[in-house]
Amino acid sequence: MSSVLKRASRHFLWRHPWQLTLAIIGIALGVAVVISIELAIESSLKAFDQAGQAFSGAATHRIVASAGGLDEKLYTRLRIEQGIKKMAPVVTSGVRIFNRSDEHFKLLGIDPFVEKSLQSIWQTQGDDDERTGLLRRLLVEPNTALVSEQTAQSLQLKLDDELTIVTGNAEHRLKIIGFLTTNDAVSERLFARLIVTDIATAQELLRVTGKLSAIEVLVDKNDVETLVKIREILPANALLVSLESQSQAMRDMTRAFDINLKALGLLSILVGMFLIYNTMTFLVMQRRHLIGILRSIGVTRRQIFFLIVNEAMLLAVIGTLIGIGLGIVLGQGVLYLISGTINAIYFPVDSANLMISPLQIAKGAILGIVATLLAVLPPAYEATRLSPIRVLARSQLETEVRSLIKAAGLLSVIFLSGGVALVMFSGRSISLGLSSVYLLLFGFALLTPLATLIFMKLIERVFGHFSGILGRMPARMVSAEISRTGIAIAALMIAVSATIGMDLMIGSFRQTVSDWVQTSLRADLYVSLSGEKMSSDKIGEEQLLKSKLTSLADVEMLSTVLHTQVIADDKFTKVFVFELNSKSKQGFIFKAKVKKNLWDQFEQQQTVMVTEPYAYHHKISIGDNILLQTQQGKQAFKVIAIYADYSGDQGHLAMSRQTYLRFWSDLGYSGIGVYAKAGADLKQLENQLNKLVTKQQTVSSEREIYDASMLVFEQTFTITQTLRWLSAIIAFIGVFSALMALQLERTRQLGILRAIGITPGQLTLLITSETGLMGIVAGFLAIPAGYVVAYVLIFVIYQRSFGWTMAFHFEPVVIYQGLALAFIAAVLAGIFPALKMAQTKPAEALRTE
C-alpha cells in the first residue's frame, strides 16, 4: 500500500508543475532573505573582528585613549618601570590616495621588531630573512612603506615607486620598499587597504610626534596583578580594554539593528508560510475525490496525513536548497547595504567579501523546513478529518470552510488582543515588541476571509443595481471560492500592510530627521576641521584660523564644536563640546521642559546635557548625575536637559567648552559655524573662507550639509526598502499560485460558462475583475493593519531599539500607493490565468474524468 501511495503522490505532483514551482519559489525566497541577512550581518562583524585580530596578533588587551591620544612615555613606563615586555605601540589613522578621493586606506605605524612578539597576521607572511630585511629598511630608510601585492596592482605600483597619500594636514610621498604577500582570502582582504610604516614615520606624517593611537598588550586574563599594575598608571583619558570584550561590545552595539533586520527577514518567511499553506491546501482539495477513494479502499487517516507531510517535506528540502544558494548570492548585495549602514551609524567595517558560515546556513535551512511543516499541518489534518463519504461529497467543502472562517474571526480577536497586550506590557524588550507586530499581522490575516465575505456582499449589492449577471459574478466568484481566495488575499494583505507600515514609519522618520537637521543647522556656513586631535601644532593652527574667521568683515559671530570621548563607567562616552552663541542655542530640540536659566547652568556650572538615545539606553533623567573620569579624578556632572539627536543610536553628552577645559586638555575644534551679518553675500564669504582653510579642511553651506545628512538617511534605509519589496514579491507569487490553482479547480465551471455563450473576452474580463476585487480588498484591509504596524514601529520598536522618538507624519500618498500596489499585483497575477482560462474549449472542460 505504501508504494501505491507514493506513486499516486508522485504522479499527482508531477501533473501540477506550476503549483509546485511556485511553492518552491516561495520557500526559496523566504529562506534566501533570512540567510542573506544572517550572512551579511555576521560577515560585517567578523570582518571587524578579523581586522582587529590581524593587526593585534596574539594581543589580548589594548590600551586606548580618547581623541588626545596616548603619550608615548606611558609605553616606556610600562615596559621599563613595570617590566611588561609583551607590548607593541601603534599609530594608526585613515588616509587617502592622492587623486583618488573615494579610496580610503589605513596607515599603520608599528615598531617592527617589538611587534614580532605579538605575531600579527601581516608579519607571518613570506620568508623570514626577506621579512626581516624589509622591517629593517622600514626602520633605517625615511618615508618608506609596505603595501599588499593587490594594492600595488590596483595602484600600478612597482618596487621603489612613490605613493602620494593625503593625511588630515598635508600630502606626503612614501617609497614602496616591499609587498605584503597573502596566502588566503582573509589576509588578502585585510591587506587590500593597508599601508604599513615605521611608527616614527607615521608620527611624522600625522604630525603626532610623541603620541600613540594604542598599545597592544599580551597578558593572561587571569594575571590580575599585571592588569592592576597597568590600570594604576593609566592617565585619565586612557582605558585598558580586553579585545574579546571590545568585540562583544561592538556586537552589542549593533544588536538592535540586527534584530530589526532579522524581523524583516522573518516577515518574508511569514508571507511564504501563507503561500505554502495555500499550495498544500489546493493540492489536498484537488485530491479530495482521490483521497475519498483511497480511504474507501482501506488507506488509514495516518497514512494520508504522512503522505501530505512527506510531500511538503520534499518541497521544503528542494526550496530550502535553492534558497541557500540564492541566499548566498543575495547576501553579497545585502552585505554592501548593511555594511554601509553600520559604517554610517556604528563603526567602520569591510564590505568586500561575504563569509559563508555553516551555522547561519543551518539556521536558515531549519527555519525554512520548520515553517513549511507548520504551514502544512492544517491542510494535512483537513485531509484526514473527514470520513470517505464526506470527502467524496465535494459540496460540503465551502460550507465547512465558512464555519472555520467564523472561528478564525473569533481567533483573530485573541491574536489582536495578545499583540496589544505585548505592546503595553513588554517593557523595553525589542524581541517582544517585534513579536507583537507578528501577532497583530496574524490577527488581521485571520480576519481577512471574514472581511472579504462582507466586502463581496456589499459590492454585489451595489453593482447588482447597475449591471447584469456578469457584473455580479466577480464578487460571487471570490465568495464562492473563499477557501482558495481568502488565503491569497491574506498573504497579499500582509505584504501590503507591511509596506504601508514601513513607508509611514520611514516617511515619519525622514520628516523628523529633516526637521531636526534644519533646526540644528543655524549657521550660514560650516568649516570642518578633519584629522587627528593628537597634535599640539594643529590646536594652535585651528585657534589661529578661528581668530582669522572672527576678523572677517561679513562675519557676525562664530560657534564651535569638538567631538571627543571621555570615560564614564569604564567605557568611552562620546562628548560634543560646544561653544555656543545666541543663534546656535536655538538649534536644540528639548524632549522635556527645561529651566529658564538652562544656558547659565550649562556655561557656568558642572553640568551636561544628554541626547535622547543616551538617556534612554542609560536610564538617565533630568537631575541625575553622571560620573566622568577627568584629569582631577572622577567628577559628577548634573544632567540639566535631554535633547533630540538622530546622528547615532548610542547617544552622547553635550558640554560647554568652558566646563570641558576646566577638567580636560584643549584638543582644538572639530567644526566651526560661521554666522554672516545681515545682507552679506554668502557666496563671496564662502570664497573668503576657502582661501583661509587648508586642502584638508572643508567649507560647506547649510544646504550642502542638509543634503548630505538626508543622503546618509536614505542610504541607511535602503536595506529596509529592499527587504520590504522582497516580501511583496513573495506575496505576488502567492496570489499567482492561488489563481493558477483556481484555473484547475474551475475547468468544468468555466466550460459551462463558455457553453452558454460567454465569449473568451468576457471570460478574461470576468477573471481579471475577480482578481482586481481581491487586490482592492487586500489593499483596503492593509490600510488599518499598516497603520497599526507603523504605530508600533514608531512608538515602540524604534524607541526600544535606538532610543529615538518620532512624530507621526501622515502621508496620503502612502495609502494610495498601497492600494495601487495591491490592485496592480493582483491584476498582473491574474492576467496569465485569465488568458489560459479563456482559451479553454467548452467540450474539453465539460468532459468528466
Side-chain angles (χ1 to χ4, degrees):
M1 183 66 74
S2 177
S3 61
V4 173
L5 287 177
K6 289 180 180 179
R7 277 201 303 271
S9 171
R10 186 167 59 250
H11 292 162
F12 182 83
L13 294 177
W14 192 252
R15 289 169 55 196
H16 299 82
W18 272 104
Q19 287 175 263
L20 298 182
T21 301
L22 292 171
I24 290 171
I25 290 174
I27 299 169
L29 284 177
V31 171
V33 171
V34 172
I35 287 179
S36 64
I37 293 173
E38 289 276 357
L39 290 179
I41 290 178
E42 194 62 25
S43 295
S44 296
L45 297 177
K46 279 187 177 179
F48 180 83
D49 293 341
Q50 288 181 349
Q53 292 169 5
F55 304 133
S56 301
T60 57
H61 293 73
R62 178 181 293 136
I63 300 173
V64 289
S66 60
L70 291 169
D71 191 326
E72 65 181 16
K73 293 179 181 177
L74 174 64
Y75 172 73
T76 305
R77 290 183 62 190
L78 289 169
R79 191 172 187 87
I80 298 175
E81 296 178 15
Q82 302 297 325
I84 303 171
K85 301 299 182 183
K86 293 185 177 180
M87 294 190 308
V90 175
V91 172
T92 182
S93 177
V95 298
R96 291 184 291 109
I97 304 300
F98 182 69
N99 286 335
R100 296 198 180 198
S101 59
D102 58 333
E103 294 191 29
H104 296 270
F105 283 70
K106 183 173 185 176
L107 178 68
L108 178 65
I110 48 90
D111 186 335
F113 295 105
V114 170
E115 183 144 339
K116 289 179 70 176
S117 63
L118 297 185
Q119 299 176 344
S120 301
I121 288 180
W122 68 268
Q123 294 202 64
T124 63
Q125 316 297 320
D127 178 77
D128 286 343
D129 293 336
E130 179 184 358
R131 187 169 61 249
T132 301
L134 289 177
L135 297 180
R136 185 178 291 110
R137 289 186 67 184
L138 280 181
L139 285 171
V140 176
E141 299 181 27
N143 292 335
T144 53
L146 306 175
V147 297
S148 72
E149 293 175 336
Q150 180 184 1
T151 301
Q153 291 176 2
S154 66
L155 298 178
Q156 298 181 342
L157 293 173
K158 299 178 182 178
L159 282 178
D160 297 325
D161 282 355
E162 287 189 337
L163 172 65
T164 303
I165 65 169
V166 181
T167 64
N169 50 68
E171 297 171 4
H172 305 276
R173 290 186 176 183
L174 292 173
K175 183 179 181 181
I176 305 303
I177 61 171
F179 301 135
L180 300 169
T181 58
T182 59
N183 53 18
D184 56 66
V186 173
S187 300
E188 184 176 315
R189 186 179 67 254
L190 293 175
F191 292 172
R193 297 191 178 275
L194 178 66
I195 302 172
V196 178
T197 69
D198 169 49
I199 197 167
T201 301
Q203 288 176 324
E204 182 180 348
L205 296 176
L206 301 172
R207 294 173 62 187
V208 292
T209 304
K211 296 286 187 177
L212 301 175
S213 302
I215 300 174
E216 309 289 353
V217 184
L218 175 58
V219 58
D220 193 306
K221 62 182 179 181
N222 296 320
D223 188 356
V224 179
E225 183 180 349
T226 301
L227 295 174
V228 170
K229 281 199 301 184
I230 294 174
R231 288 192 174 99
E232 283 179 347
I233 65 172
L234 291 182
N237 70 328
L239 275 178
L240 175 67
V241 296
S242 162
L243 294 181
E244 183 180 348
S245 64
Q246 188 177 45
S247 175
Q248 185 58 46
M250 294 301 180
R251 289 178 175 271
D252 291 341
M253 189 183 298
T254 60
R255 176 174 171 270
F257 177 68
D258 183 3
I259 291 175
N260 277 270
L261 282 187
K262 287 178 179 177
L264 288 175
L266 290 175
L267 178 63
S268 298
I269 286 285
L270 180 63
V271 176
M273 285 179 67
F274 276 90
L275 171 58
I276 298 161
Y277 172 83
N278 208 19
T279 300
M280 298 311 300
T281 300
F282 288 153
L283 292 177
V284 170
M285 290 176 178
Q286 288 165 4
R287 281 182 289 179
R288 286 174 65 85
H289 187 77
L290 175 61
I291 291 172
I293 294 174
L294 291 174
R295 293 280 287 113
S296 299
I297 63 176
V299 176
T300 65
R301 297 175 188 268
R302 179 185 178 89
Q303 288 175 315
I304 295 295
F305 178 84
F306 282 106
L307 175 70
I308 305 300
V309 170
N310 288 336
E311 290 175 354
M313 179 60 74
L314 177 63
L315 297 181
V317 171
I318 296 173
T320 298
L321 290 175
I322 296 174
I324 290 173
L326 185 60
I328 293 173
V329 175
L330 183 63
Q332 187 63 58
V334 173
L335 172 62
Y336 175 77
L337 298 175
I338 288 177
S339 297
T341 301
I342 294 178
N343 269 309
I345 299 179
Y346 301 105
F347 47 82
V349 294
D350 180 25
S351 61
N353 293 89
L354 187 72
M355 302 180 193
I356 309 301
S357 167
L359 177 61
Q360 310 306 327
I361 296 291
K363 286 166 63 176
I366 291 172
L367 185 61
I369 291 173
V370 170
T372 301
L373 293 179
L374 288 176
V376 81
L377 288 178
Y381 173 72
E382 174 68 18
T384 64
R385 189 171 61 89
L386 302 176
S387 65
I389 296 177
R390 293 183 66 192
V391 170
L392 290 171
R394 186 175 174 181
S395 59
Q396 295 186 11
L397 173 62
E398 293 301 328
T399 303
E400 293 164 357
V401 168
R402 288 175 183 254
S403 64
L404 289 175
I405 287 175
K406 293 178 182 178
L410 295 175
L411 189 59
S412 71
V413 176
I414 297 175
F415 275 91
L416 293 172
S417 302
V420 173
L422 267 185
V423 168
M424 297 177 63
F425 303 111
S426 55
R428 292 188 168 212
S429 172
I430 302 173
S431 299
L432 290 178
L434 288 167
S435 297
S436 69
V437 174
Y438 287 110
L439 285 178
L440 292 168
L441 282 176
F442 206 75
F444 278 107
L446 289 173
L447 195 60
T448 296
L450 180 60
T452 299
L453 290 176
I454 296 173
F455 267 104
M456 292 304 109
K457 198 70 175 177
L458 291 174
I459 291 172
E460 184 183 345
R461 288 184 178 179
V462 170
F463 282 91
H465 296 291
F466 307 101
S467 59
I469 187 66
L470 286 178
R472 299 182 183 183
M473 282 191 68
R476 289 183 178 180
M477 290 170 67
V478 173
S479 298
E481 307 284 354
I482 193 64
S483 61
R484 291 111 163 126
T485 58
I487 301 299
I489 294 173
L492 185 59
M493 183 278 297
I494 286 181
V496 174
S497 65
T499 298
I500 291 174
M502 283 189 276
D503 276 347
L504 288 172
M505 180 274 292
I506 293 172
S508 296
F509 198 9
R510 182 186 292 109
Q511 187 62 49
T512 300
V513 170
S514 176
D515 293 342
W516 168 71
V517 173
Q518 289 178 330
T519 301
S520 301
L521 296 175
R522 311 305 296 182
D524 297 297
L525 297 168
Y526 291 87
V527 180
S528 175
L529 307 173
S530 60
E532 300 294 329
K533 295 299 177 184
M534 296 190 287
S535 171
S536 57
D537 294 343
K538 286 198 66 182
I539 296 172
E541 291 173 1
E542 290 170 359
Q543 291 173 341
L544 179 60
L545 173 63
K546 182 189 174 189
S547 299
K548 291 180 179 179
L549 295 177
T550 304
S551 63
L552 293 176
D554 288 334
V555 173
E556 181 181 6
M557 52 187 168
L558 302 176
S559 64
T560 69
V561 65
L562 166 67
H563 298 159
T564 186
Q565 291 180 318
V566 299
I567 298 172
D569 298 326
D570 294 326
K571 294 180 182 178
F572 280 119
T573 299
K574 290 182 181 179
V575 177
F576 286 13
V577 180
F578 289 108
E579 189 175 19
L580 301 172
N581 56 44
S582 57
K583 290 185 179 179
S584 58
K585 291 174 182 176
Q586 300 172 17
F588 290 84
I589 302 174
F590 296 110
K591 307 302 292 187
K593 188 176 181 180
V594 296
K595 294 182 179 179
K596 292 182 179 180
N597 63 340
L598 169 74
W599 296 115
D600 290 335
Q601 287 182 298
F602 184 67
E603 297 287 350
Q604 300 170 11
Q605 299 178 19
Q606 199 165 305
T607 60
V608 293
M609 299 188 296
V610 301
T611 62
E612 184 184 26
Y614 187 92
Y616 181 84
H617 293 310
H618 294 83
K619 300 180 181 179
I620 296 291
S621 302
I622 294 177
D624 291 348
N625 288 320
I626 299 177
L627 282 177
L628 302 180
Q629 183 69 46
T630 73
Q631 293 176 349
Q632 291 85 38
K634 288 187 177 180
Q635 298 284 335
F637 290 78
K638 184 179 180 180
V639 177
I640 57 172
I642 299 173
Y643 67 99
D645 182 271
Y646 299 94
S647 60
D649 69 344
Q650 301 304 303
H652 58 261
L653 311 179
M655 185 182 297
S656 74
R657 187 172 182 83
Q658 185 175 332
T659 300
Y660 178 83
L661 293 179
R662 289 205 302 267
F663 298 98
W664 292 275
S665 300
D666 190 357
L667 297 175
Y669 309 102
S670 298
I672 301 175
V674 180
Y675 296 75
K677 291 181 179 178
D681 187 333
L682 292 182
K683 193 63 180 177
Q684 181 179 347
L685 179 58
E686 184 175 354
N687 292 333
Q688 290 177 332
L689 297 185
N690 280 318
K691 292 178 181 178
L692 294 176
V693 301
T694 65
K695 292 182 179 179
Q696 286 68 47
Q697 297 167 342
T698 58
V699 178
S700 305
S701 67
E702 173 268 340
R703 186 67 201 180
E704 289 172 335
I705 295 179
Y706 172 82
D707 291 341
S709 300
M710 298 310 297
L711 179 61
V712 170
F713 173 87
E714 299 297 343
Q715 291 173 341
T716 301
F717 279 96
T718 301
I719 179 64
T720 303
Q721 300 275 19
T722 302
L723 296 177
R724 181 197 67 180
W725 281 109
L726 284 173
S727 297
I729 290 172
I730 297 174
F732 173 83
I733 294 173
V735 176
F736 187 77
S737 173
L739 295 174
M740 285 296 294
L742 281 174
Q743 176 196 359
L744 299 174
E745 286 288 293
R746 291 175 174 173
T747 302
R748 187 175 180 82
Q749 173 188 347
L750 296 173
I752 294 173
L753 291 176
R754 291 282 286 112
I756 62 174
I758 297 293
T759 65
Q762 289 175 319
L763 191 59
T764 300
L765 179 62
L766 182 66
I767 295 167
T768 52
S769 297
E770 178 192 10
T771 59
L773 281 178
M774 291 171 63
I776 291 173
V777 171
F780 274 108
L781 294 177
I783 294 174
Y787 266 92
V788 171
V789 170
Y791 181 90
V792 176
L793 288 175
I794 291 172
F795 297 108
V796 179
I797 305 303
Y798 265 66
Q799 184 175 23
R800 294 180 185 181
S801 300
F802 309 113
W804 297 318
T805 56
M806 300 175 271
F808 187 91
H809 291 276
F810 171 70
E811 297 183 25
V813 67
V814 173
I815 304 302
Y816 304 144
Q817 288 175 348
L819 287 171
L821 174 64
F823 178 75
I824 293 172
V827 171
L828 289 177
I831 288 176
F832 179 75
L835 294 175
K836 192 77 173 176
M837 293 178 191
Q839 294 172 1
T840 303
K841 295 180 180 179
E844 292 181 1
L846 292 171
R847 186 181 298 119
T848 58
E849 297 182 4

